[in-house]
Amino acid sequence: MAILQALLALLTKSAGKIINALFGWAVHALFGQTSSKQQTLLSGLVAAAVAWPLLVVGIVAPKMAALVLTFVPIPNWVPSWIVRLVWLALALIVPLALGLAITAKAPAESTPEPTIKRLLRGFPITIGLAAAFLIMFVSVPIMRVVTMVRGWTSADVPLVTDAEAYHRTATQTVDVLNKHGFRLRAASPGWWVTAPTRLLGWFGGDAFRRYVPARLEYFESSDLTVSFYTSGALLQGLRQKVTWGHGLIAETLARGSGFLTIDPAAQKLESQIRRVWKVYEEEPVAHQNAPRLIERVGDIAKELTELDVPYDEWSVIYRQVLQLDRAVRGQRQMLDSLNPQEEVAVTSETGGRQREDIRERAREKISGPGPSVGKSAADLSTGELIGEITGQVGLLARMQIDLAKTELQADLRAEVAMASRLGIAALSGFVTVNLLLVTAVLALAQRMPAWSAGLAVSSTTLTIAAVAGLMGWSKRVRTPLERTRRTLKEDAQWTKERLA
């Protein structure tokens, strides 16, 4: 019980942060700049719009929907039409509330509209949000599983942009990655990537067209793919490629036009950082070590100490301030200052690279300077020849040991990855069995009282567990080491007979 209470407390404490992370970009597109408190409330409203299809299902199957959403069965004495009215009211209130909220947050200079049009505006936006989220709810887990099966990993880079800056930001990012040897090329994303965006643009109208581009940017190479969404970039590929690319993107986007944070207070400080970047990049040479820019960076750093946002958001701003300070003091960014031509190619095939390095070191040691430098085999004495052969054999032996260690580490990593994926499969199977049992209970509840259906299914599973337990218990070892004991007893008897 204590563990359950702790988990519930953690979920309750983090609810606002989770909602903002999932729907913050949609709030920004629909309602523009808001305060932190307003964004949490508006994010909850957007989340309710996403769950709108479940409210509609509740109108058709009221008690079943209540059980699925709340896990609380509605008693039989409660009429279904009362529950159906509740679902109907909620299904109407959510789109109407969304339409009113959009109208209330509309700019003062916007064209006045009839009240009925303001109310009805929320319905198509609600349908677009719900349809887009449904596709992502199904496609994203599948994409994650495919990524794991391929032995890849993934990383999300938050990036909130409008449609105008979207393509410019994507081009800038890919240029930096290709500069460091990623060899990305433009490609067509799958329908599961483009469908949510098209639905938002279609149903959302002008509210989303400013933030949803007509064409999504998607780039791929043999070991990395980069998808640019309206709220961020998704990297999928080999682990070291993803990590290296994530770092380069984070460094590059610090001076871009998009927001790397969700919280309105953090975005406000990001806007100040962007303005300083814009001034600096007008005349980079002239503005190096400019006292006014250095002083302005100090002012931003002071505001950062007073910024009341979650640490994840705060750390993003902190990194951006450091990068800005480095630039105005005439220093190149740390990752950008690396010469791609002199870097070792980043690849997740660490074992292969290490083995090649080991071979190269062995070759250098074998062919390197020694007592027999400049002498051919015919000029060597027997002692020198034996010593040379012994040294090379020792080097080769050490090389093989190093290779074996490297391969063993790679095999262990592969086994750990296999075990983790089998664990996920086992957990998924366990959840599936539970869902099937719940489905069986719901099906039987149509023919008998719900408690009788639950008792019947529970009795069946208990019987299976008891039979399996008894069968397993019957296979227990009643006499441990029975054969060994008998053999030892016979050997002792034989020894006694021989000594008699």
Side-chain angles (χ1 to χ4, degrees):
M1 179 61 71
I3 296 177
L4 181 60
Q5 291 177 348
L7 289 175
L8 291 176
L10 178 62
L11 290 175
T12 303
K13 183 177 180 181
S14 304
K17 181 178 178 182
I18 293 172
I19 291 175
N20 284 338
L22 289 175
F23 307 109
W25 68 272
V27 172
H28 191 63
L30 290 171
F31 308 106
Q33 196 68 27
T34 60
S35 64
S36 299
K37 191 172 183 180
Q38 287 178 337
Q39 184 171 16
T40 300
L41 295 175
L42 295 173
S43 297
L45 180 58
V46 173
V50 166
W52 186 73
L54 298 178
L55 305 180
V56 176
V57 171
I59 299 175
V60 180
K63 293 188 177 182
M64 183 72 70
L67 180 61
V68 172
L69 288 177
T70 64
F71 299 101
V72 177
I74 303 297
N76 292 329
W77 55 266
V78 177
S80 297
W81 64 269
I82 294 180
V83 185
R84 183 175 285 108
L85 285 179
V86 173
W87 288 119
L88 178 61
L90 291 174
L92 292 174
I93 289 173
V94 169
L96 294 176
L98 186 61
L100 287 176
I102 293 174
T103 302
K105 294 291 293 182
E109 63 275 9
S110 60
T111 305
E113 296 179 344
T115 304
I116 186 66
K117 187 174 181 180
R118 296 178 182 179
L119 290 173
L120 297 178
R121 179 190 294 179
F123 280 91
I125 295 178
T126 299
I127 295 174
L129 284 170
F133 186 82
L134 180 61
I135 293 176
M136 290 189 292
F137 184 78
V138 175
S139 62
V140 170
I142 295 176
M143 292 170 59
R144 298 289 186 183
V145 172
V146 172
T147 300
M148 293 176 58
V149 171
R150 297 179 66 181
W152 283 13
T153 186
S154 60
D156 295 292
V157 184
L159 176 63
V160 180
T161 62
D162 54 21
E164 180 181 355
Y166 172 82
H167 299 288
R168 182 172 65 252
T169 302
T171 301
Q172 177 188 7
T173 302
V174 173
D175 287 345
V176 171
L177 292 176
N178 286 338
K179 175 184 174 183
H180 288 80
F182 281 80
R183 299 179 181 178
L184 292 167
R185 60 187 180 278
S188 299
W191 67 268
W192 54 88
V193 176
T194 58
T197 304
R198 292 177 179 175
L199 287 171
L200 289 175
W202 187 22
F203 286 101
D206 295 335
F208 279 109
R209 288 194 183 100
R210 290 177 51 227
Y211 290 89
V212 178
R215 175 179 57 84
L216 286 180
E217 299 282 359
Y218 178 80
F219 300 85
E220 63 181 14
S221 66
S222 59
D223 46 17
L224 182 71
T225 63
V226 183
S227 304
F228 290 92
Y229 297 92
T230 53
S231 59
L234 173 64
L235 284 74
Q236 294 179 306
L238 299 176
R239 184 173 60 184
Q240 289 187 347
K241 282 284 188 180
V242 170
T243 303
W244 177 232
H246 192 168
L248 288 172
I249 291 177
E251 184 179 88
T252 302
L253 296 180
R255 63 176 70 186
S257 55
F259 291 111
L260 304 183
T261 57
I262 301 297
D263 192 280
Q267 290 183 352
K268 183 177 179 181
L269 198 55
E270 272 194 281
S271 298
Q272 298 185 42
I273 295 174
R274 298 297 188 276
R275 287 196 292 270
V276 178
W277 270 114
K278 186 176 181 180
V279 172
Y280 168 78
E281 290 178 342
E282 290 176 354
E283 294 288 343
V285 178
H287 288 154
Q288 286 183 6
N289 293 310
R292 291 187 179 180
L293 288 185
I294 294 177
E295 182 181 358
R296 184 71 185 95
V297 174
D299 293 339
I300 295 176
K302 184 178 179 181
E303 291 187 42
L304 179 62
T305 62
E306 303 171 356
L307 188 63
D308 184 16
V309 296
Y311 176 75
D312 291 342
E313 304 270 274
W314 189 92
S315 62
V316 172
I317 303 297
Y318 176 73
R319 173 177 51 77
Q320 294 185 51
V321 174
L322 288 179
Q323 290 181 243
L324 179 59
D325 182 73
R326 187 180 180 93
V328 298
R329 294 182 185 276
Q331 301 176 352
R332 294 181 62 184
Q333 298 304 313
M334 185 177 296
L335 299 182
D336 186 57
S337 62
L338 297 175
N339 185 355
Q341 303 300 327
E342 297 178 357
E343 295 172 359
V344 177
V346 179
T347 173
S348 67
E349 298 177 359
T350 310
R353 186 179 61 192
Q354 291 177 346
R355 287 192 289 270
E356 186 60 32
D357 292 341
I358 293 169
R359 294 191 186 98
E360 186 63 28
R361 289 197 301 269
R363 296 190 192 101
E364 292 176 357
K365 290 179 181 180
I366 293 174
S367 60
S372 57
V373 174
K375 295 183 179 180
S376 63
D379 297 330
L380 295 176
S381 64
T382 303
E384 291 175 338
L385 185 59
I386 293 175
E388 186 72 14
I389 294 174
T390 303
Q392 293 189 11
V393 170
L395 288 173
L396 290 174
R398 287 194 295 272
M399 181 185 71
Q400 294 299 329
I401 293 174
D402 290 340
L403 288 174
K405 290 180 179 179
T406 302
E407 190 172 6
L408 179 60
Q409 293 174 356
D411 291 344
L412 287 176
R413 285 194 295 269
E415 291 297 324
V416 170
M418 179 271 295
S420 62
R421 289 161 190 166
L422 288 179
I424 294 175
L427 179 60
S428 301
F430 177 75
V431 172
T432 301
V433 171
N434 284 335
L435 292 176
L436 290 174
L437 292 175
V438 171
T439 303
V441 172
L442 296 176
L444 291 175
Q446 304 297 325
R447 301 291 182 181
M448 61 179 69
W451 65 269
S452 300
L455 183 61
V457 174
S458 300
S459 301
T460 302
T461 56
L462 180 61
T463 302
I464 295 174
V467 172
L470 291 174
M471 292 177 63
W473 181 253
S474 65
K475 299 296 183 181
R476 73 186 187 280
V477 178
R478 292 180 172 80
T479 306
L481 302 175
E482 180 180 5
R483 182 176 298 177
T484 302
R485 290 181 178 181
R486 186 173 62 252
T487 303
L488 290 175
K489 186 176 181 181
E490 292 175 354
D491 292 343
Q493 184 66 29
W494 182 85
T495 303
K496 289 180 181 179
E497 292 176 353
R498 294 298 181 271
L499 294 176

